[in-house]
Structure formats: C-alpha cells, structure tokens
Amino acid sequence: MKKARILGCLLFFLCGVLGWGQRQTERPYWFSLEQGKSLFRKGDYGNALLSFEDARRDRWAMYTRMEQDLIDLLSIPEVRLLGDSLAQIEPYIAERYQVNAGAALREVYFRVPRASLEGSATKALETLGHLKYYPEAEYWIGETYRVEGELTVALWQYQKAHEQRAFLENPGFDIEILYKIVDIFKIRQNYTEMEKRLLEILEQDTLWSGTVNVYTKSVMLNMLENDGISRFLTIYRYNHSLVERAHRLLGLYYYTSGRHNRAVEHLMFSFLIQNTIMIEEIIRNQYDFTFTTLDNLMAVAMKRSVLGDYMEGAEYYKILYYLGAALYGDGKLVSARRFWTLLSGSSEAGEWGGRASSQLRSPFVEQVVEMP
C-alpha cells in the first residue's frame, strides 16, 4: 500500500511536469514583466507599456486555461464520485495521465502553502481564479502612465493594483503602491484623500496604531518637550523606514491645516525614525560610536556621503524646522527654540537654518495655503 502510494505521488508529479512542458512554448508572463521594467528604465515607455500589458494578459490566459483544465477534470463523472478530496483525485490524475489537470494542481501547490487548501479541490480551483490577477503588472502600467503625465489613468491603475494586493508576490509592496496614490493626490491638492491613504499606511506602524500605544506616545512626547532632544534620542530608537514618509507628510499636512498638536506627534515619529536610521548606519561602520547630542550626530553624518544623501532625500532639516514650528504652534516655545537653535547653528541646513534664525528673533506661526 505504501509503495503504491509513493508510486501514485510520483506519477502525479510527472504528470504535472509533462503538462507544464507542453504549455511552455510561449514566453512566460513574468519574462514580459521583467522585459517591461528594463525598457521602462531605459525610457522606452511605449514598448514598456506593451510588455506590461502582455504580462497581464498572458498571466490571465495561463491561469484561466489551468482553471478550465481543473474544471474539466472535476466534471468527469468518475471524478465527481470522488468528492472534494484532493487525496482521492490526485491518484486518478496519475493513473489516467491527466497531464493538464496535474500541471494545474502543481502550479497551485507551488504558489500557495498546500496546507491552506485543506485538501479541498474546490479551494484549489478558487486559488487558480485568484492567481489570474497580476497586481505587479497593474502597478507598472500605472507607473508608465504616470511618467507620461497621464495621472488620471495612473491613479486608476494604482488603485486597481492596491485592490488586488492580496495577490502580490511581495506582500509588503502594497505600501509602495499606496505611496504612489498619495503622491497623485498630493499633486492634485486633494488632501482629504491623501490623508486617508497615509493613515492607511500607518496601520502598518505597530508603535503608532492601536489604543494601547496612546500612553507610550504621550510619554515620548513629554520627554521630547521636557527633557530635550538628546535625552529623547538616547532613550528611544525606532527603525521603521516604510512608514517614515507617511509620518512626515501627515505632520506637514497637519501643520499646514493648523492642527499643530497632531503635527507634533507625526513629525516626532518622522524625526525619531530618521535619526535611528542614521545612528544605526554609523554604528554599522563605526561599532564604538555612541550617540551624545544631535549636533554631533549631524556632524558625523555629513562626513558620510550615503547619510548626506539620505538626509537630503528625507528632508531632514525641513523636518527639524517644522517640528519646532509645530511645537511653537502648540504652545511649546522652549522646545521649539531647541530645534531652531540647532538649525541656525548648522552650516548645512541652508534655507531651513535661515528660517530658524528668523523664528528665534521673532517666533510666529506660518500662514500656509498649501503643503510645504
């Protein structure tokens, strides 16, 4: 019995391989996607778009065909008598050389954990239906329309890709898609929708989201306001680079709209994440480095080109300035002056150092009509 079982499994596997081989005469959908990315990076957007559309179409066709192969098998009267059990159906596939159905099941087993099917042929069939969707292709189609200036179509594509996020091969990529949606809403000054998407991103921030963290955030804020910047960064470290930009954009948006207390909270998180990333990067190359003060950290960071580039991309000095401005708007002048003093004494801060110096001479709440 055991030998027969092993032989049956081997035959089932071979049926899957034979079926796969018979169907691999055309170019695979993933190759079209990768070719499209290459063309996109070279600036050949027209041909890139064609490749992305080919990838989407070919994947849909491939899994539709596999879905039909499995439906055809399950429709056979003999198979219907076996019920919904894959354990009963697999030997039938092997014994009757149902190579196409075998290939379809093998593809399902490759794409999802076998245990998730719970031995059900119906669930295997449902999985094939889900695998038709190709959110990565939808995203790259959106990217192509975005660089061509077709923001309406690009937004529609990004939203479509996000709706299909459950089928992403890299689950964390849904955050990147949301940021693309945010960027379009920001360009269009549709700040209500922008805020909604940014808050959706922050659902991934376990320290930020949830009522259990209200007390922690309050303690962090009190330390920043009362004990100073250096003490705050000595006690707290938080490296969650995926959500840093969401905190940054929300902080700037809330400052612009006059909600200074909410701006402080988000800018504080952006500030903490940025500095944590910088400290950890320095320690990776200089194991004996110890954080002492923020101005010392900035001086060390600016000697490293990779961190200088990071600070520029993360709008580091701008965040320092607006965190001070938000603290001032929330009635925390002493805390605000700490940030402005740091900036005014930094030769690298540029515009933000000059604006900080103006605030130190005569503090005021900026009247901003749109996001800075």
Side-chain angles (χ1 to χ4, degrees):
M1 179 67 72
K2 186 176 180 181
K3 288 183 179 179
R5 176 86 176 158
I6 293 173
L7 181 59
C9 290
L10 180 60
L11 286 170
F12 171 74
F13 173 78
L14 289 173
C15 283
V17 171
L18 287 169
W20 179 84
Q22 288 176 353
R23 296 293 179 85
Q24 289 303 305
T25 54
E26 69 271 15
R27 186 172 65 177
Y29 64 85
W30 53 264
F31 181 87
S32 296
L33 185 74
E34 293 305 317
Q35 183 181 56
K37 291 179 187 178
S38 177
L39 292 166
F40 181 90
R41 294 181 186 112
K42 293 174 183 175
D44 188 354
Y45 302 124
N47 285 318
L49 181 59
L50 292 175
S51 290
F52 295 141
E53 290 175 340
D54 284 346
R56 177 177 61 183
R57 183 184 60 252
D58 292 345
R59 177 164 172 143
W60 185 273
M62 171 182 157
Y63 284 109
T64 298
R65 186 174 62 234
M66 287 186 168
E67 183 183 42
Q68 189 58 53
D69 289 338
L70 192 53
I71 289 172
D72 291 343
L73 174 80
L74 297 175
S75 301
I76 297 172
E78 291 174 286
V79 177
R80 292 176 65 183
L81 291 174
L82 298 175
D84 193 41
S85 171
L86 286 171
Q88 297 295 319
I89 293 169
E90 285 178 7
Y92 180 92
I93 291 173
E95 292 164 8
R96 302 302 176 89
Y97 298 101
Q98 295 283 341
V99 292
N100 292 338
L105 279 182
R106 293 297 301 178
E107 180 68 14
V108 171
Y109 297 156
F110 177 72
R111 293 295 172 186
V112 301
R114 190 163 178 169
S116 68
L117 301 173
E118 300 175 349
S120 166
T122 301
K123 289 193 175 181
L125 190 60
E126 289 173 355
T127 299
L128 283 170
H130 294 157
L131 288 170
K132 295 176 186 177
Y133 297 102
Y134 204 5
E136 287 86 355
E138 304 293 358
Y139 167 83
W140 280 102
I141 291 170
E143 277 288 88
T144 309
Y145 279 111
R146 177 186 62 81
V147 297
E148 294 283 16
E150 299 287 345
L151 295 186
T152 300
V153 183
L155 177 61
W156 186 81
Q157 281 296 142
Y158 292 144
Q159 290 174 327
K160 188 176 180 182
H162 189 252
E163 287 167 4
Q164 298 175 9
R165 63 190 178 278
F167 314 122
L168 283 165
E169 293 180 7
N170 177 9
F173 194 64
D174 62 320
I175 300 299
E176 179 66 25
I177 297 170
L178 278 174
Y179 275 126
K180 294 294 183 178
I181 294 171
V182 163
D183 287 340
I184 292 180
F185 283 133
K186 183 173 182 286
I187 289 169
R188 292 182 164 182
Q189 298 182 23
N190 187 342
Y191 298 130
T192 301
E193 286 298 320
M194 181 196 76
E195 177 189 17
K196 186 187 303 182
R197 303 297 181 161
L198 288 170
L199 290 172
E200 190 174 344
I201 291 171
L202 290 186
E203 290 174 7
Q204 307 294 320
D205 186 348
T206 53
L207 184 57
W208 173 265
S209 60
T211 54
V212 294
N213 293 317
V214 172
Y215 175 74
T216 302
K217 287 185 283 188
S218 175
V219 171
M220 291 170 67
L221 188 57
N222 284 333
M223 177 167 287
L224 179 64
E225 292 173 353
N226 301 319
D227 297 335
I229 300 167
S230 295
R231 178 66 175 165
F232 175 76
L233 289 177
T234 300
I235 298 298
Y236 293 107
R237 300 286 164 78
Y238 189 47
N239 188 340
H240 197 338
S241 57
L242 275 179
V243 301
E244 184 277 322
R245 185 165 176 253
H247 282 299
R248 189 193 331 161
L249 289 173
L250 276 172
L252 294 172
Y253 170 58
Y254 289 139
Y255 179 82
T256 300
S257 55
R259 289 171 280 181
H260 299 125
N261 59 333
R262 296 191 69 179
V264 168
E265 293 176 354
H266 287 286
L267 292 173
M268 174 184 72
F269 267 74
S270 174
F271 170 74
L272 176 59
I273 293 169
Q274 288 184 10
N275 284 283
T276 299
I277 290 171
M278 290 163 58
I279 291 168
E280 291 182 355
E281 176 61 26
I282 293 171
I283 290 173
R284 268 193 288 273
N285 295 277
Q286 183 184 333
Y287 71 92
D288 60 344
F289 175 81
T290 301
F291 172 81
T292 53
T293 62
L294 186 58
D295 50 355
N296 174 254
L297 173 63
M298 290 191 294
V300 174
M302 287 310 301
K303 294 176 183 177
R304 303 174 185 271
S305 59
V306 65
L307 285 179
D309 292 343
Y310 172 75
M311 292 167 76
E312 183 178 356
E315 303 177 294
Y316 184 79
Y317 296 112
K318 178 178 178 178
I319 294 308
L320 289 183
Y321 173 81
Y322 276 108
L323 180 49
L327 283 164
Y328 174 73
D330 199 32
K332 311 295 192 312
L333 177 59
V334 173
S335 301
R337 289 182 67 88
R338 292 188 185 121
F339 284 95
W340 291 334
T341 300
L342 273 168
L343 278 173
S344 65
S346 171
S347 59
E348 305 291 340
E351 170 197 352
W352 304 107
R355 292 173 70 164
S357 297
S358 298
Q359 289 280 16
L360 286 170
R361 289 192 297 271
S362 179
F364 63 96
V365 175
E366 296 181 6
Q367 299 299 314
V368 193
V369 249
E370 61 182 68
M371 279 189 66

PDB file of all heavy atoms in Angstrom, residues 318-336:
ATOM      1  N   LYS A 318      14.319  70.195   6.976  1.00  0.00           N
ATOM      2  CA  LYS A 318      12.942  70.702   6.878  1.00  0.00           C
ATOM      3  C   LYS A 318      12.089  70.145   8.013  1.00  0.00           C
ATOM      4  O   LYS A 318      11.285  70.871   8.625  1.00  0.00           O
ATOM      5  CB  LYS A 318      12.355  70.312   5.520  1.00  0.00           C
ATOM      6  CG  LYS A 318      10.918  70.727   5.295  1.00  0.00           C
ATOM      7  CD  LYS A 318      10.496  70.314   3.894  1.00  0.00           C
ATOM      8  CE  LYS A 318       9.047  70.653   3.598  1.00  0.00           C
ATOM      9  NZ  LYS A 318       8.668  70.286   2.214  1.00  0.00           N
ATOM     10  N   ILE A 319      12.273  68.862   8.322  1.00  0.00           N
ATOM     11  CA  ILE A 319      11.502  68.243   9.406  1.00  0.00           C
ATOM     12  C   ILE A 319      11.903  68.836  10.748  1.00  0.00           C
ATOM     13  O   ILE A 319      11.051  69.086  11.613  1.00  0.00           O
ATOM     14  CB  ILE A 319      11.688  66.710   9.387  1.00  0.00           C
ATOM     15  CG1 ILE A 319      11.065  66.128   8.121  1.00  0.00           C
ATOM     16  CG2 ILE A 319      11.064  66.067  10.624  1.00  0.00           C
ATOM     17  CD1 ILE A 319       9.621  66.533   7.872  1.00  0.00           C
ATOM     18  N   LEU A 320      13.200  69.087  10.946  1.00  0.00           N
ATOM     19  CA  LEU A 320      13.632  69.740  12.188  1.00  0.00           C
ATOM     20  C   LEU A 320      12.956  71.106  12.341  1.00  0.00           C
ATOM     21  O   LEU A 320      12.488  71.471  13.426  1.00  0.00           O
ATOM     22  CB  LEU A 320      15.151  69.924  12.194  1.00  0.00           C
ATOM     23  CG  LEU A 320      16.035  68.680  12.356  1.00  0.00           C
ATOM     24  CD1 LEU A 320      17.497  69.084  12.402  1.00  0.00           C
ATOM     25  CD2 LEU A 320      15.670  67.895  13.589  1.00  0.00           C
ATOM     26  N   TYR A 321      12.910  71.841  11.238  1.00  0.00           N
ATOM     27  CA  TYR A 321      12.310  73.173  11.292  1.00  0.00           C
ATOM     28  C   TYR A 321      10.820  73.088  11.632  1.00  0.00           C
ATOM     29  O   TYR A 321      10.334  73.794  12.526  1.00  0.00           O
ATOM     30  CB  TYR A 321      12.490  73.898   9.951  1.00  0.00           C
ATOM     31  CG  TYR A 321      11.742  75.209   9.900  1.00  0.00           C
ATOM     32  CD1 TYR A 321      12.275  76.354  10.487  1.00  0.00           C
ATOM     33  CD2 TYR A 321      10.493  75.290   9.293  1.00  0.00           C
ATOM     34  CE1 TYR A 321      11.578  77.551  10.470  1.00  0.00           C
ATOM     35  CE2 TYR A 321       9.787  76.488   9.266  1.00  0.00           C
ATOM     36  CZ  TYR A 321      10.334  77.615   9.862  1.00  0.00           C
ATOM     37  OH  TYR A 321       9.637  78.784   9.853  1.00  0.00           O
ATOM     38  N   TYR A 322      10.101  72.234  10.918  1.00  0.00           N
ATOM     39  CA  TYR A 322       8.654  72.184  11.126  1.00  0.00           C
ATOM     40  C   TYR A 322       8.260  71.500  12.430  1.00  0.00           C
ATOM     41  O   TYR A 322       7.198  71.783  12.983  1.00  0.00           O
ATOM     42  CB  TYR A 322       7.963  71.531   9.931  1.00  0.00           C
ATOM     43  CG  TYR A 322       7.707  72.522   8.821  1.00  0.00           C
ATOM     44  CD1 TYR A 322       8.437  72.478   7.637  1.00  0.00           C
ATOM     45  CD2 TYR A 322       6.756  73.528   8.971  1.00  0.00           C
ATOM     46  CE1 TYR A 322       8.228  73.406   6.631  1.00  0.00           C
ATOM     47  CE2 TYR A 322       6.533  74.461   7.967  1.00  0.00           C
ATOM     48  CZ  TYR A 322       7.273  74.401   6.809  1.00  0.00           C
ATOM     49  OH  TYR A 322       7.064  75.340   5.814  1.00  0.00           O
ATOM     50  N   LEU A 323       9.118  70.619  12.938  1.00  0.00           N
ATOM     51  CA  LEU A 323       8.830  70.070  14.262  1.00  0.00           C
ATOM     52  C   LEU A 323       8.924  71.197  15.291  1.00  0.00           C
ATOM     53  O   LEU A 323       8.069  71.311  16.183  1.00  0.00           O
ATOM     54  CB  LEU A 323       9.809  68.940  14.595  1.00  0.00           C
ATOM     55  CG  LEU A 323       9.635  68.255  15.956  1.00  0.00           C
ATOM     56  CD1 LEU A 323       8.191  67.845  16.210  1.00  0.00           C
ATOM     57  CD2 LEU A 323      10.549  67.025  16.050  1.00  0.00           C
ATOM     58  N   GLY A 324       9.922  72.059  15.146  1.00  0.00           N
ATOM     59  CA  GLY A 324       9.999  73.236  16.013  1.00  0.00           C
ATOM     60  C   GLY A 324       8.808  74.152  15.826  1.00  0.00           C
ATOM     61  O   GLY A 324       8.217  74.638  16.797  1.00  0.00           O
ATOM     62  N   ALA A 325       8.420  74.369  14.573  1.00  0.00           N
ATOM     63  CA  ALA A 325       7.284  75.254  14.286  1.00  0.00           C
ATOM     64  C   ALA A 325       5.988  74.691  14.849  1.00  0.00           C
ATOM     65  O   ALA A 325       5.148  75.436  15.370  1.00  0.00           O
ATOM     66  CB  ALA A 325       7.165  75.452  12.774  1.00  0.00           C
ATOM     67  N   ALA A 326       5.810  73.369  14.743  1.00  0.00           N
ATOM     68  CA  ALA A 326       4.592  72.743  15.268  1.00  0.00           C
ATOM     69  C   ALA A 326       4.566  72.815  16.792  1.00  0.00           C
ATOM     70  O   ALA A 326       3.509  73.052  17.396  1.00  0.00           O
ATOM     71  CB  ALA A 326       4.514  71.291  14.797  1.00  0.00           C
ATOM     72  N   LEU A 327       5.731  72.618  17.416  1.00  0.00           N
ATOM     73  CA  LEU A 327       5.804  72.739  18.881  1.00  0.00           C
ATOM     74  C   LEU A 327       5.446  74.162  19.309  1.00  0.00           C
ATOM     75  O   LEU A 327       4.705  74.370  20.282  1.00  0.00           O
ATOM     76  CB  LEU A 327       7.211  72.377  19.356  1.00  0.00           C
ATOM     77  CG  LEU A 327       7.539  70.874  19.389  1.00  0.00           C
ATOM     78  CD1 LEU A 327       9.038  70.652  19.480  1.00  0.00           C
ATOM     79  CD2 LEU A 327       6.820  70.197  20.558  1.00  0.00           C
ATOM     80  N   TYR A 328       5.950  75.147  18.568  1.00  0.00           N
ATOM     81  CA  TYR A 328       5.616  76.528  18.895  1.00  0.00           C
ATOM     82  C   TYR A 328       4.114  76.763  18.726  1.00  0.00           C
ATOM     83  O   TYR A 328       3.466  77.386  19.574  1.00  0.00           O
ATOM     84  CB  TYR A 328       6.405  77.496  18.018  1.00  0.00           C
ATOM     85  CG  TYR A 328       5.995  78.935  18.220  1.00  0.00           C
ATOM     86  CD1 TYR A 328       6.351  79.621  19.386  1.00  0.00           C
ATOM     87  CD2 TYR A 328       5.218  79.605  17.271  1.00  0.00           C
ATOM     88  CE1 TYR A 328       5.956  80.934  19.590  1.00  0.00           C
ATOM     89  CE2 TYR A 328       4.823  80.920  17.466  1.00  0.00           C
ATOM     90  CZ  TYR A 328       5.195  81.574  18.631  1.00  0.00           C
ATOM     91  OH  TYR A 328       4.790  82.873  18.847  1.00  0.00           O
ATOM     92  N   GLY A 329       3.550  76.264  17.621  1.00  0.00           N
ATOM     93  CA  GLY A 329       2.116  76.427  17.389  1.00  0.00           C
ATOM     94  C   GLY A 329       1.278  75.752  18.459  1.00  0.00           C
ATOM     95  O   GLY A 329       0.139  76.163  18.720  1.00  0.00           O
ATOM     96  N   ASP A 330       1.859  74.720  19.099  1.00  0.00           N
ATOM     97  CA  ASP A 330       1.153  74.007  20.175  1.00  0.00           C
ATOM     98  C   ASP A 330       1.469  74.609  21.541  1.00  0.00           C
ATOM     99  O   ASP A 330       1.133  74.023  22.569  1.00  0.00           O
ATOM    100  CB  ASP A 330       1.561  72.529  20.135  1.00  0.00           C
ATOM    101  CG  ASP A 330       0.576  71.640  20.880  1.00  0.00           C
ATOM    102  OD1 ASP A 330      -0.623  71.957  20.899  1.00  0.00           O
ATOM    103  OD2 ASP A 330       1.036  70.623  21.454  1.00  0.00           O
ATOM    104  N   GLY A 331       2.132  75.761  21.540  1.00  0.00           N
ATOM    105  CA  GLY A 331       2.399  76.461  22.797  1.00  0.00           C
ATOM    106  C   GLY A 331       3.656  76.027  23.513  1.00  0.00           C
ATOM    107  O   GLY A 331       3.839  76.347  24.689  1.00  0.00           O
ATOM    108  N   LYS A 332       4.552  75.310  22.855  1.00  0.00           N
ATOM    109  CA  LYS A 332       5.774  74.804  23.492  1.00  0.00           C
ATOM    110  C   LYS A 332       6.982  75.593  22.956  1.00  0.00           C
ATOM    111  O   LYS A 332       7.804  75.077  22.206  1.00  0.00           O
ATOM    112  CB  LYS A 332       5.952  73.313  23.198  1.00  0.00           C
ATOM    113  CG  LYS A 332       4.718  72.460  23.461  1.00  0.00           C
ATOM    114  CD  LYS A 332       4.353  72.433  24.923  1.00  0.00           C
ATOM    115  CE  LYS A 332       3.304  71.373  25.262  1.00  0.00           C
ATOM    116  NZ  LYS A 332       2.132  71.332  24.405  1.00  0.00           N
ATOM    117  N   LEU A 333       7.109  76.846  23.375  1.00  0.00           N
ATOM    118  CA  LEU A 333       8.146  77.719  22.841  1.00  0.00           C
ATOM    119  C   LEU A 333       9.552  77.239  23.191  1.00  0.00           C
ATOM    120  O   LEU A 333      10.452  77.262  22.344  1.00  0.00           O
ATOM    121  CB  LEU A 333       7.948  79.154  23.356  1.00  0.00           C
ATOM    122  CG  LEU A 333       9.023  80.169  22.936  1.00  0.00           C
ATOM    123  CD1 LEU A 333       9.118  80.261  21.417  1.00  0.00           C
ATOM    124  CD2 LEU A 333       8.735  81.534  23.549  1.00  0.00           C
ATOM    125  N   VAL A 334       9.759  76.805  24.433  1.00  0.00           N
ATOM    126  CA  VAL A 334      11.098  76.369  24.860  1.00  0.00           C
ATOM    127  C   VAL A 334      11.567  75.194  24.000  1.00  0.00           C
ATOM    128  O   VAL A 334      12.702  75.159  23.520  1.00  0.00           O
ATOM    129  CB  VAL A 334      11.102  75.983  26.351  1.00  0.00           C
ATOM    130  CG1 VAL A 334      12.457  75.380  26.739  1.00  0.00           C
ATOM    131  CG2 VAL A 334      10.811  77.214  27.217  1.00  0.00           C
ATOM    132  N   SER A 335      10.687  74.209  23.789  1.00  0.00           N
ATOM    133  CA  SER A 335      11.025  73.047  22.964  1.00  0.00           C
ATOM    134  C   SER A 335      11.276  73.456  21.523  1.00  0.00           C
ATOM    135  O   SER A 335      12.200  72.950  20.869  1.00  0.00           O
ATOM    136  CB  SER A 335       9.885  72.019  23.006  1.00  0.00           C
ATOM    137  OG  SER A 335       9.643  71.608  24.327  1.00  0.00           O
ATOM    138  N   ALA A 336      10.470  74.374  21.020  1.00  0.00           N
ATOM    139  CA  ALA A 336      10.624  74.837  19.644  1.00  0.00           C
ATOM    140  C   ALA A 336      11.986  75.495  19.452  1.00  0.00           C
ATOM    141  O   ALA A 336      12.678  75.254  18.453  1.00  0.00           O
ATOM    142  CB  ALA A 336       9.513  75.824  19.297  1.00  0.00           C
TER     143      ALA A 336
END
